[in-house]
Amino acid sequence: MARSLIRTLYSGTRSLAAVVKDARRAQQIATLLARHGFAALVSRDRTTTAAAARAELLSGAGSTEDPGADLASRVVRLLEELGPTFVKFGQILSTRPDLIPPRYLERLEVLQDHVRPVPIDAVRRQIEAGLGATPEQLFASFDEQPIASASIAQVHGAITKDCKDVVVKVQRPGLRPIVMADLSLLRFFADQVLTIFPEAAA
C-alpha cells in the first residue's frame, strides 16, 4: 500500500538516508489511512476508476477504527493520529470557509483547541534533553497534566525553586524529521485527492 508513496519520495533530490526515513513514515501513514477508511488514496491501481475510489473514500468501506462514522469525523480522527504536520494542515483548513463546506469546518475546528497530548514520560525526556535536567530537578513543582496541547508544542504549569508560577512550553519530540517527511507526503496526497475529486481544484 505504501509503495506509491515510497516511489514518489525516490523522485526527490534529498539524500538516501532521508528517503529511507520517509519510507518508514510512508508505511506508518498507509496503515493509518487503511484503518480510517482512506486506503484508496494509496492503494488505487490502474484498474480502479476514480469513481470507485471516490465511493470507497466517502463510504469509509474497510474502516476498522471508526466504522459507520461520517467522512468529516474520520478525516479529523485521521489528522489527529497522523501527527503535528497534518493537524496543522487541518487547523489551516478550518479557517477557510471559502474552500471547505460548513459540515467539515465544524469538525475541523476541533483541531484548534483539542490535540492529543504528548505522554508525560516523553515530555520529561524532552525537557531533560533540552535543559540537561529532569522537571523534578528544575522545578519545585511540575504539573503532569498539560494546560494546553497543540500541534507543535504543549504547555505545562510549574513552580520554580524560588516559588514563582511559570508555564513550560515543550516542543513535541522528534518533530523536525516528521515534518520534513510529511511535507513530501502532503504533496503526494494533494495530487491523489485532485485525481479522485477534480472539483476540488476549482
Side-chain angles (χ1 to χ4, degrees):
M1 186 180 295
R3 190 176 302 162
S4 301
L5 291 168
I6 295 168
R7 187 164 52 245
T8 299
L9 294 171
Y10 272 98
S11 67
T13 58
R14 284 172 298 157
S15 70
L16 180 61
V19 170
V20 170
K21 289 178 183 176
D22 283 356
R24 292 195 194 101
R25 178 64 172 152
Q27 184 62 59
Q28 179 188 31
I29 288 175
T31 300
L32 289 172
L33 287 170
R35 187 187 303 167
H36 289 280
F38 295 100
L41 285 176
V42 290
S43 62
R44 187 173 161 231
D45 57 33
R46 293 180 181 178
T47 64
T48 305
T49 65
R54 181 188 188 112
E56 180 180 335
L57 290 172
L58 292 174
S59 69
S63 171
T64 58
E65 180 72 17
D66 36 21
D70 61 34
L71 179 61
S73 296
R74 288 188 292 115
V75 167
V76 169
R77 291 172 190 166
L78 174 66
L79 292 175
E80 284 185 315
E81 286 200 51
L82 287 173
T85 312
F86 291 88
V87 169
K88 180 59 70 177
F89 181 62
Q91 289 172 341
I92 293 169
L93 289 179
S94 74
T95 66
R96 296 300 305 270
D98 54 323
L99 298 177
I100 307 298
R103 66 182 182 278
Y104 295 103
L105 282 176
E106 183 179 347
R107 298 283 169 60
L108 287 168
E109 284 172 357
V110 171
L111 297 174
Q112 293 289 354
D113 55 13
H114 174 69
V115 179
R116 291 183 181 182
V118 176
I120 188 60
D121 288 343
V123 169
R124 284 197 180 94
R125 288 193 296 271
Q126 191 77 341
I127 290 174
E128 188 169 7
L131 301 178
T134 66
E136 291 75 18
Q137 293 168 326
L138 293 166
F139 304 101
S141 173
F142 183 84
D143 191 353
E144 294 186 356
Q145 186 68 29
I147 297 170
S149 181
S151 58
I152 304 300
Q154 69 185 39
V155 176
H156 291 259
I159 299 175
T160 64
K161 299 288 188 179
D162 56 354
C163 299
K164 293 180 180 177
D165 287 322
V166 296
V167 292
V168 182
K169 189 172 185 178
V170 184
Q171 182 175 290
R172 288 177 174 268
L175 191 64
R176 184 179 294 275
I178 291 174
V179 169
M180 294 305 294
D182 287 353
L183 289 176
S184 295
L185 299 176
L186 271 172
R187 285 192 290 269
F188 173 83
F189 287 132
D191 290 341
Q192 293 291 86
V193 168
L194 289 176
T195 299
I196 298 171
F197 298 93
E199 67 273 19

